[in-house]
Amino acid sequence: QVHLVESGGGAVQTGGSLRLSCAASGYRYSRHCTGWFRQAPGKERVGVVGVDANGDTTYADSVKGRFTVSEDRAKNELYLQMNNLRSEDTGTYYCVAQEPCSVVEGLHDLFFGVWGQGTQVTVSS
């Protein structure tokens, strides 16, 4: 069973940066997809970025040019570098995974079967 643990959340000022990490364990398939979602207070979860098994990425329009996802598949770790943070980026960030998987078929929360516990990101002016 896949297990995901996020870290790296915190409080920053507008324009600041944070780097989230996700440590994964228990993958049974070499081909799996990963990603990040977030949930603002009182709102639904939305996709931030999806990562295909071959490393191709799909970003939400709201974070393009500011957020960068990377992964170390040898260590089963996923990262999210967040720059130029805005107040609307505030929320709980979740690492997600799905296996077996080749391509992320849309940034929909129902596509991903495994979720981490989340890490809080707060951006204030």
Side-chain angles (χ1 to χ4, degrees):
Q1 183 174 352
V2 180
H3 186 57
L4 304 173
V5 179
E6 304 97 332
S7 61
V12 296
Q13 292 188 326
T14 301
S17 299
L18 279 175
R19 185 177 188 243
L20 306 183
S21 298
C22 173
S25 61
Y27 282 123
R28 293 171 295 172
Y29 299 89
S30 59
R31 296 189 68 78
H32 54 263
C33 301
T34 57
W36 291 92
F37 276 67
R38 68 185 180 189
Q39 185 169 24
K43 296 187 177 181
E44 296 183 350
R45 293 184 301 193
V46 295
V48 174
V49 59
V51 185
D52 295 346
N54 66 359
D56 288 347
T57 56
T58 302
Y59 288 92
D61 288 342
S62 60
V63 306
K64 284 180 181 178
R66 301 187 299 122
F67 289 13
T68 303
V69 66
S70 60
E71 61 180 340
D72 185 336
R73 291 232 167 186
K75 296 181 179 180
N76 282 334
E77 292 183 351
L78 184 71
Y79 310 98
L80 184 66
Q81 178 66 43
M82 306 185 294
N83 298 328
N84 192 19
L85 283 161
R86 307 167 180 168
S87 57
E88 54 263 40
D89 295 319
T90 293
T92 302
Y93 282 69
Y94 298 92
C95 177
V96 296
Q98 176 62 30
E99 64 163 3
C101 175
S102 294
V103 176
V104 175
E105 299 174 5
L107 280 176
H108 307 299
D109 56 357
L110 293 179
F111 180 81
F112 293 93
V114 184
W115 291 69
Q117 83 288 353
T119 186
Q120 179 66 35
V121 171
T122 303
V123 185
S124 59
S125 56

